[in-house]
Amino acid sequence: MTVVLVADDDADIRDLVAFKLEQAGFEVIAVEDGQSAVEQARDRLPTLAVLDVSMPGLSGIEVCRMLRADPATAGILIIMLTARVQEQDVEGGFSAGADDYVTKPFSPRELVSRIQALLSRARA
């Protein structure tokens, strides 16, 4: 089963994303802050991580950079999930190593579709 790490400090969004991913057949690790995301990524090595940009402590951008810098976690696919829609914010996410960038408000169905598409391309 594909493991997906979901890191968002907003419990409602975290729970919604986790629920939709579980419905789609993924195993979900849900955490509420950046430090927990890094720890779980290192411990569990998920296939993909969905990271909120604005979290307490470490931001999603910082988590992304840390995961990319560590050879053990560098291969984790990363989708940034954020309310920040300025062009410079999107560029910052991609320059940190994100594979995709989804802005809030978002369609949970679209997020699951993006995750499935990213996983399909990565397996090809």
Side-chain angles (χ1 to χ4, degrees), residues 68-114:
R68 290 291 182 243
D70 182 343
T73 58
I76 295 172
L77 299 169
I78 297 173
I79 296 179
M80 303 304 295
L81 184 63
T82 183
R84 302 174 79 169
V85 296
Q86 297 296 321
E87 192 172 312
Q88 65 193 31
D89 295 321
V90 176
E91 287 175 2
F94 284 120
S95 69
D99 297 292
D100 201 354
Y101 199 97
V102 177
T103 57
K104 298 175 188 177
F106 65 96
S107 157
R109 186 177 298 151
E110 178 186 346
L111 178 62
V112 170
S113 294
R114 284 175 176 259

Side-chain angles (χ1 to χ4, degrees), residues 16-88:
L16 173 65
V17 171
F19 175 73
K20 287 296 185 183
L21 290 173
E22 287 167 348
Q23 272 190 322
F26 296 102
E27 179 182 339
V28 178
I29 306 162
V31 298
E32 63 187 19
D33 61 65
Q35 186 60 46
S36 297
V38 171
E39 291 168 3
Q40 286 299 312
R42 288 178 176 156
D43 289 347
R44 305 275 306 275
L45 295 176
T47 305
L48 184 140
V50 178
L51 306 174
D52 179 27
V53 170
S54 301
M55 293 185 285
L58 296 171
S59 73
I61 299 287
E62 292 169 313
V63 172
C64 184
R65 283 191 183 114
M66 292 173 75
L67 295 180
R68 290 291 182 243
D70 182 343
T73 58
I76 295 172
L77 299 169
I78 297 173
I79 296 179
M80 303 304 295
L81 184 63
T82 183
R84 302 174 79 169
V85 296
Q86 297 296 321
E87 192 172 312
Q88 65 193 31

